Amino acid sequence: QVQLVESGGGLVQPGGSLRLSCAASRFTLDYYAIGWFRQAPGKEREGVSCISSRDGSTYYADSVKGRFTISRDNAKNTVYLQMNSLKPEDTAVYYCATAPQSRPSIWYLVHEYDYWGQGTQVTVSS
């Protein structure tokens, strides 16, 4: 059974940084695009970033461009989301997910992804 586990969330002050990890078990991440999504209370789940498996191309939501960086370490079977200059509006539960192809047609659409982790809470507050 495919399993994704996110970690690295927590409470951070505005302007601070966090690095989220998405570790996979029982399958190899190498062949899949991986997306990071977030969901704030009362809001829909939104795409934050995606990294393809084919050439490592990366994609970001406009709201996080220049502040977040997605990367993958295939040797560790893990994908990371480095989040810098965090803002209160970044507060949400963050999820990673796999897409059943090397790069989703539209990376920020939830239905492009099939397996999801349980999420990790990120709270940005002073």
Side-chain angles (χ1 to χ4, degrees):
Q1 182 178 349
V2 171
Q3 188 173 19
L4 295 171
V5 178
E6 302 95 336
S7 62
L11 173 64
V12 64
Q13 291 187 342
S17 298
L18 285 173
R19 188 178 79 158
L20 305 184
S21 299
C22 172
S25 61
R26 301 189 178 93
F27 77 105
T28 302
L29 283 177
D30 301 30
Y31 307 112
Y32 302 92
I34 306 298
W36 281 99
F37 287 75
R38 67 187 180 187
Q39 188 165 18
K43 294 188 176 182
E44 292 188 354
R45 193 168 297 189
E46 64 172 352
V48 174
S49 184
C50 172
I51 185 166
S52 74
S53 64
R54 185 185 305 160
D55 57 5
S57 297
T58 57
Y59 309 87
Y60 298 95
D62 288 344
S63 60
V64 307
K65 205 170 290 183
R67 299 188 297 123
F68 291 11
T69 303
I70 191 170
S71 62
R72 63 195 307 155
D73 185 337
N74 289 338
K76 295 184 177 180
N77 213 27
T78 301
V79 172
Y80 302 99
L81 185 69
Q82 177 67 43
M83 306 188 297
N84 298 329
S85 302
L86 283 162
K87 304 175 181 180
E89 51 263 44
D90 295 319
T91 296
V93 177
Y94 283 71
Y95 302 88
C96 65
T98 62
Q101 61 264 24
S102 61
R103 182 176 66 84
S105 300
I106 304 177
W107 71 266
Y108 50 84
L109 293 182
V110 170
H111 69 248
E112 294 276 358
Y113 299 81
D114 46 10
Y115 293 105
W116 294 78
Q118 82 291 346
T120 184
Q121 175 71 47
V122 171
T123 302
V124 185
S125 175
S126 54

